[in-house]
Amino acid sequence: IEIEIISGDLEASIIYENHIAENMDTNNSYLYIDVGGGSTELTFFADGKLIFKKSFNIGTIRLLKDMVDD
């Protein structure tokens, strides 16, 4: 198994490339939140298009190990 470490920004892009927006009602806006072990990605869709994406170094493992500052 080959493992590649990717950035949170790339992860958010991959979420969009998985065609998640195709199943969304274009009359609504959506905020997709992906909470992982090391990071959390926010992806905002409107009119069936990616509008904004942001990755934060806040995930469940980081929180449990007190690795997140205020």
Side-chain angles (χ1 to χ4, degrees):
I1 297 173
E2 183 177 331
I3 298 174
E4 179 182 353
I5 298 173
I6 61 172
S7 69
D9 193 51
L10 178 57
E11 183 177 357
S13 294
I14 290 171
I15 290 168
Y16 177 70
E17 290 171 5
N18 281 323
H19 306 284
I20 191 168
E22 292 176 2
N23 296 319
M24 296 178 184
D25 182 351
T26 57
N27 295 318
N28 296 307
S29 298
Y30 299 88
L31 178 62
Y32 183 86
I33 303 171
D34 177 19
V35 179
S39 65
T40 297
E41 282 69 45
L42 302 179
T43 310
F44 180 69
F45 299 93
D47 298 322
K49 298 177 186 166
L50 173 67
I51 303 299
F52 176 82
K53 61 184 176 183
K54 180 73 176 172
S55 179
F56 299 91
N57 287 331
I58 301 171
T60 55
I61 301 299
R62 288 181 197 254
L63 287 168
L64 289 171
K65 295 192 175 237
D66 293 321
M67 298 172 65
V68 178
D69 296 328
D70 291 339

